[in-house]
Amino acid sequence: MAECGASGSGSSGDGLDKSITLPPDEIFRNLENAKRFAIDIGGSLTKLAYYSTVQHKVARVRSFDHTGQDAGQDHESPYEISVQEEVTARLHFVKFENSYIEACLDFVRDHLVNTETKVIHATGGGAYKFKDLIEQKLGLRVAKEDVMTCLIKGCNFVLKNIPQEAFVYQKDADPEFRFQTNHPHIFPYLLVNIGSGVSIVKVETEDRFEWIGGSSIGGGTFWGLGALLTKTQKFDELLHLASRGQHANVDMLVQDVYGGAHQTLGLSGNLIASSFGKSATTDQEFSPEDMAKSLLHMISNDIGQLACLYARLHGLDRVYFGGFFIRGHPVTMRTITYSISFFSKGEVQALFLRHEGYLGAIGAFLRGAEQDNPDQYSWGENYAGSSGLMSSSPELGPTQGAKSGTFDLLEMDRLERPLVNLPLLLDPASYVPDTVDLTDDALARKYWLSCFEEALDGVVKRAVASQPGSADAAERAEKFRHKYRDKLQTLRHQPFAYGTLTVRSLLDTREHCLNEFNFPDPYSQVKQKENGVALRGFQSVVRALDALGWEERQLALVRGLLAGNVFDWGAKAVSEVLESDPQFGFEEAKKKLEERPWLVDSYDTWLQRLKGPPHKCALIFADNSGVDVILGVFPFVRELLSRGTEVILACNSGPALNDVTYGEALLVAEHIAAMDPVVHSALREERLLLMQTGSSSPCLDLSRLDEGLAVLVRERGTDLVVIEGMGRAVHTNYRAALRCESLKLAVLKNPWLAARLGGRLFSVIFKFEVPAE
Amino acid sequence: MGAGRLRAPMERHGRAAATSASSTREPAPEEPDGRGQEPLRRRANSTSVPAAGTSAEGARRDRHGSCSGGTSVSRQRVESLRKKRPLFPWFGLDIGGTLVKLVYFEPKDITAEEEEEEVESLKSIRKYLTSNVAYGSTGIRDVHLELKDLTLCGRKGNLHFIRFPTHDMPAFIQMGRDKNFSSLHTVFCATGGGAYKFEQDFLTIGELQLCKLDELDCLIKGILYIDSVGFNGRSQCYYFENPADSEKCQKLPFDLKNPYPLLLVNIGSGVSILAVYSKDNYKRVTGTSLGGGTFFGLCCLLTGCTTFEEALEMASRGDSTKVDKLVRDIYGGDYERFGLPGWAVASSFGNMMSKEKREAVSKEDLARATLITITNNIGSIARMCALNENINQVVFVGNFLRINTIAMRLLAYALDYWSKGQLKALFSEHEGYFGAVGALLELLKIP
């Protein structure tokens, strides 16, 4: 009754294909610096994992050196930009058919430049079989790792680091995949691994898990018994056969036993009374399709039933399914989902994992990398380098089945710092950053996919322009164009490829692709120039504000915040204006704004609130560089400071569009402090703190924020959160519920979105929320 | 995971406690293509007839028409009716998915006078059933199960146990017509799904009206009754000592003096699992579609065998370890990380993924593997149900176990091993006939 994650040394995979030629810049990338190898060899697929470093150009900002000869010179720019090389850590995972293993190992050996690695950590049933081949080809010693330990480690890793890793599958629903927001506490859960047999493992903590049961009726039973019954040899073909069959021809159903009476008895006649029961009572011939279907139901139902019995016995409701029986096969996900729902009466949902196929390899890698403490870091899925769900699914037609589809990739970037929940989220378990689920909303999906595709020319142009000294900028920009266009194309057909499709994921994918081709910050000069211009206007704006009466000033500050937010290079309607009219400034932007009452307008409540006691500490998420942060946000910050409210100004850690980065914000603040005593003293006394968010996205995921920021937010007793801009306050967090007061404000710079929300271009969202007592 | 605790209103009243459930024995989900179909429901009503007492009578709803009693013809029959005794012949019928089980009470205390008055058709039935051990090409009387000198409703006689395939039901009905059953004005108490499926045929072809009875009620009633009367002086219930050791294995009587709570696993074509807390208080916990029908059905497909006996005979000569992938086939021995012994099956039919191994196995090996697979699975589900219901004696019944010592010993061993001795597997001599006995008891209104 046992099981083992390994699938059998099945029928496929013995004839090795040596003829394959691998495109080195697409598969097995960054091998030169690779170290720490791990391999998971299953019955038909091999997963190779390695850790590598990626060298990237990054734009760094710093103050001009005032001690040097430039001293005293009046700069047009407030700071200088230098391009530096930065090394980041990345995990690479490559999945391919066992038949390519020899060719792949040769390739790895040929491209491995002087690595210090001596060992490869191996797991999976095939690790024994290919041990000698691996040692001989790579010259590395094979260290065997326990299959289940690797699986669980891998599972914990993806559940912690990849938002929307888990999904439920519903065949006839649209979308078929419904992704789950990661629960902040991933334990305890049940992992049902359906390999050749079934293992049911209860996972309680990072290091504590227990085999609580299993069944010998699993994928091997489907495959082995299926091959005997139908003479079809391959697992995939058996599934295909099953998908065309009618099990009722083979199974004895309730209606076969009860006749028509099942209706009057309130029984569902289609329930299976006895699997294969008809083959016991009649002499007829059965079609292979029908037998395969009957077998599929028999096995799926049995596994679902046992999983429910175990879940009930241990009081668990999160049950993840994996193993080769499940792996990307809609047919089996469907029958398992049905069975679980039936036997648990809907109390347990079958959950599947996007990267289920990589769990063993991830786990084996982590086992080997324990001295690097990979668990201490947060990791992020790199959309540019990852294939996405079902990339090589046979169901997706011939175009996907070609050579490139033979290899499936996953790349995870190591993030500088650990990411955690914003402590002020009302309910971290139910928090969903994104406002619109584009997998669900076909109309919105169509619009945004075209929108991003249309904007691509502009992005390419901007990228090239940002690197005037680079000879290959145009070439790299074209590569970027192809890469991102391919991604958009993939998402058109498989919106579920990277979890729930959202405007945020489209934006993030674009940033990842730009980075991939060494355009780390195409807007760096634009931001530099705009920051310079805005800084020069700061004092007059502040003077004008100070001249106003209290009530007038409050409205002017809010209008300033909103007008600043118009300066968004990510919005086509704005970027066109900014490109064509260099004189377009703060005052022009104010004129574009919708007059009150705004589309969403709780300004009066806000004003009332300001008449009350000051907030203790405000957390403000800044948006754009230039006018936005300098003439909109800083005067607003200054007002809060004067009221006695401490302010944490949180900016992106890395660049995204023209959003102000933490590095830039520090320099901007320095310049403002030099002009303004309020800001100056607040900075010195740490009543104004600049922090980084841990993100490089134009949007905001409050469940993945820099740990230092979270700690500070808690320490300072933050009681007001201000989220600014379309990306952070509309595309994401529009519906985010916080435990403290919050202000979400944005100018709608996209006519389609504005129309959808019942407004028009430059409509204003001003949403002040006070949590219920 | 008690089946269908939803939707259908509780309509059982009177003696039965509120938790008692009647329901179908069909456990497995339907084909997911059928969207929107309802999950397994508790059967809306049971037509079980309460004891002669009248208190429950008012609450009972018999929506399938009454049991036809018939009018008396002879003095003897009038006597019978006066004593609230049904007319002969006394049958109990359980029409399953694969097999029909028939119990027949043969009165041995017939007086000369009675014999003289006995109508010809009744006599002919009695002689036919008791003087043969086989009927037609498929009907069989399990002579070794016959219960002798039983007293039922004041009559002494022998209880006979007869079975034939459900697909011969039309022939059976035809025989009833030919032997002019309808003239006896007898009541036919029947349970099992077939009681519903063949009701119309009984009526139109045999001119017989069935009294349809809930199969789980009948099953439990039958088991308790048969256990109480014993097996011709021997114990009805038994267990296996040292089930894994063919030298030391012993079948020993078990005294079911404290039957409750009890997990009852009925393995027919499919499997039903009931938790029984008292005579009238039970619930259907779950069921599985992987049952006797699956074993035999797969054996037919894999080996070309044609009878259950043949399938078992092949299985007795086969070696399942050639077909199944064991833990030791993968790990070279025990999988210590999880405490799994090397001999445990990791993947049923797992070796059959390989072409070479498929070509190397015999039909006997395949039959054995099928038997082991189905049996282990039933054991596993039963064990989980016992744990969830907190019950530690498990009685396995049903015709899958007939002449199936391999399965019984495996169930006994698996339950003991995986529960570390906490659970005990029990068996019963009349394994498949309890439903039919229960139907007979309903006819006689024996509580």
Side-chain angles (χ1 to χ4, degrees), chain A residues 371-501:
Chain A
Q371 67 213 72
D372 285 349
N373 289 318
D375 280 345
Q376 283 184 357
Y377 294 93
S378 287
W379 299 77
E381 179 181 13
N382 188 305
Y383 295 138
S386 303
S387 309
L389 187 62
M390 319 266 299
S391 72
S392 54
S393 165
E395 280 100 281
L396 289 168
T399 52
Q400 300 280 336
K403 272 274 147 83
S404 63
T406 315
F407 290 85
D408 188 273
L409 309 173
L410 168 64
E411 295 184 7
M412 302 277 294
D413 287 321
R414 192 177 81 189
L415 308 177
E416 289 302 307
R417 303 155 68 116
L419 302 181
V420 297
N421 274 313
L422 177 68
L424 296 169
L425 283 176
L426 185 66
D427 176 22
S430 66
Y431 169 72
V432 179
D434 306 286
T435 308
V436 179
D437 176 350
L438 299 182
T439 27
D440 210 5
D441 187 335
L443 208 65
R445 178 169 75 235
K446 196 161 176 276
Y447 170 78
W448 286 109
L449 283 168
S450 323
C451 181
F452 276 89
E453 182 141 14
E454 281 164 23
L456 195 48
D457 274 342
V459 177
V460 167
K461 222 165 82 189
R462 167 62 49 196
V464 176
S466 72
Q467 298 182 352
S470 167
D472 65 345
E475 190 191 329
R476 282 184 286 116
E478 280 313 304
K479 283 186 179 167
F480 154 75
R481 184 206 298 276
H482 282 120
K483 184 97 184 177
Y484 190 57
R485 186 175 282 159
D486 277 356
K487 293 282 168 192
L488 292 175
Q489 200 56 28
T490 302
L491 289 167
R492 236 179 258 281
H493 299 293
Q494 299 149 257
F496 48 77
Y498 300 95
T500 304
L501 183 66

Side-chain angles (χ1 to χ4, degrees), chain B residues 353-373:
Chain B
M353 292 187 278
S354 138
K355 192 166 185 288
E356 304 82 69
K357 288 183 177 161
R358 278 202 298 277
E359 282 159 1
V361 293
S362 68
K363 290 183 169 181
E364 287 77 9
D365 297 337
L366 292 172
R368 178 76 166 215
T370 310
L371 183 58
I372 300 296
T373 302

Side-chain angles (χ1 to χ4, degrees), chain A residues 617-634:
Chain A
C617 175
L619 166 65
I620 302 179
F621 289 98
D623 186 7
N624 305 308
S625 274
V627 172
D628 192 353
V629 68
I630 295 165
L631 303 183
V633 175
F634 265 97

Side-chain angles (χ1 to χ4, degrees), chain A residues 146 216 256 258 270 312, chain B residues 1 33 37 197 215 335 348:
Chain A
D146 175 67
S216 67
D256 298 319
Y258 278 83
N270 288 332
R312 193 184 139 192
Chain B
M1 231 149 295
D33 286 330
Q37 274 157 347
K197 184 176 179 178
E215 57 187 296
Y335 187 22
S348 296

Side-chain angles (χ1 to χ4, degrees), chain A residues 721-746:
Chain A
V721 174
V722 181
I723 308 177
E724 191 215 357
M726 252 186 13
R728 291 176 183 78
V730 179
H731 291 315
T732 55
N733 298 309
Y734 191 67
R735 288 194 290 264
L738 299 177
R739 282 188 306 174
C740 66
E741 293 176 13
S742 65
L743 195 52
K744 296 164 188 170
L745 38 86

Side-chain angles (χ1 to χ4, degrees), chain A residues 49-65:
Chain A
Y50 55 95
Y51 171 93
S52 186
T53 47
V54 191
Q55 213 155 27
H56 270 304
K57 284 190 170 39
V58 287
R60 290 264 181 242
V61 291
R62 61 172 183 190
S63 301
F64 288 108
D65 185 356

Side-chain angles (χ1 to χ4, degrees), chain A residues 467-754:
Chain A
Q467 298 182 352
S470 167
D472 65 345
E475 190 191 329
R476 282 184 286 116
E478 280 313 304
K479 283 186 179 167
F480 154 75
R481 184 206 298 276
H482 282 120
K483 184 97 184 177
Y484 190 57
R485 186 175 282 159
D486 277 356
K487 293 282 168 192
L488 292 175
Q489 200 56 28
T490 302
L491 289 167
R492 236 179 258 281
H493 299 293
Q494 299 149 257
F496 48 77
Y498 300 95
T500 304
L501 183 66
T502 60
V503 174
R504 176 169 64 108
S505 70
L506 287 168
L507 284 164
D508 289 352
T509 305
R510 190 167 70 187
E511 295 299 327
H512 291 179
C513 290
L514 279 166
N515 268 322
E516 209 48 50
F517 296 100
N518 264 322
F519 294 107
D521 194 356
Y523 289 88
S524 55
Q525 293 97 334
V526 172
K527 290 186 288 183
Q528 181 194 36
K529 182 164 159 277
E530 288 181 348
N531 283 334
V533 170
L535 278 172
R536 280 192 290 279
F538 179 77
Q539 276 172 308
S540 67
V541 167
V542 167
R543 265 197 302 274
L545 286 165
D546 285 347
L548 297 171
W550 183 85
E551 201 155 323
E552 276 180 287
R553 188 165 71 244
Q554 303 314 314
L555 182 60
L557 283 166
V558 165
R559 282 181 51 86
L561 265 178
L562 293 165
N565 199 243
V566 169
F567 292 85
D568 180 356
W569 283 87
K572 198 162 157 246
V574 178
S575 62
E576 280 169 4
V577 172
L578 294 176
E579 295 270 12
S580 62
D581 178 10
Q583 298 307 311
F584 186 87
F586 196 39
E587 294 309 315
E588 286 76 13
K590 281 185 192 163
K591 287 182 198 128
K592 291 263 186 200
L593 287 184
E594 178 187 33
E595 287 303 321
R596 286 194 68 200
W598 297 317
L599 181 57
V600 174
D601 192 339
S602 37
Y603 177 75
D604 293 336
T605 325
W606 169 244
L607 189 69
Q608 275 314 112
R609 173 64 189 84
L610 288 181
K611 289 174 182 166
H615 294 94
K616 186 168 185 320
C617 175
L619 166 65
I620 302 179
F621 289 98
D623 186 7
N624 305 308
S625 274
V627 172
D628 192 353
V629 68
I630 295 165
L631 303 183
V633 175
F634 265 97
F636 183 77
V637 167
R638 201 171 157 270
E639 180 76 13
L640 287 172
L641 290 168
S642 320
R643 280 170 57 81
T645 302
E646 295 178 346
V647 177
I648 302 169
L649 185 59
C651 305
N652 268 3
S653 297
L657 292 167
N658 67 324
D659 291 5
V660 63
T661 63
Y662 172 65
E664 289 158 355
L666 282 177
L667 294 171
V668 162
E670 206 175 284
H671 280 271
I672 291 175
M675 299 182 270
D676 184 88
V678 179
V679 171
H680 182 81
S681 61
L683 277 173
R684 203 187 53 218
E685 291 157 18
E686 296 192 338
R687 283 181 290 113
L688 169 60
L689 294 128
L690 271 62
M691 294 297 288
Q692 52 182 319
T693 57
S695 157
S696 305
S697 165
C699 295
L700 180 63
D701 179 351
L702 295 176
S703 67
R704 280 168 75 80
L705 284 181
D706 187 272
E707 196 175 29
L709 175 61
V711 168
L712 189 69
V713 161
R714 201 179 287 121
E715 275 175 9
R716 294 290 168 115
T718 305
D719 54 355
L720 173 67
V721 174
V722 181
I723 308 177
E724 191 215 357
M726 252 186 13
R728 291 176 183 78
V730 179
H731 291 315
T732 55
N733 298 309
Y734 191 67
R735 288 194 290 264
L738 299 177
R739 282 188 306 174
C740 66
E741 293 176 13
S742 65
L743 195 52
K744 296 164 188 170
L745 38 86
V747 179
L748 301 179
K749 289 150 288 191
N750 174 295
W752 185 87
L753 180 66

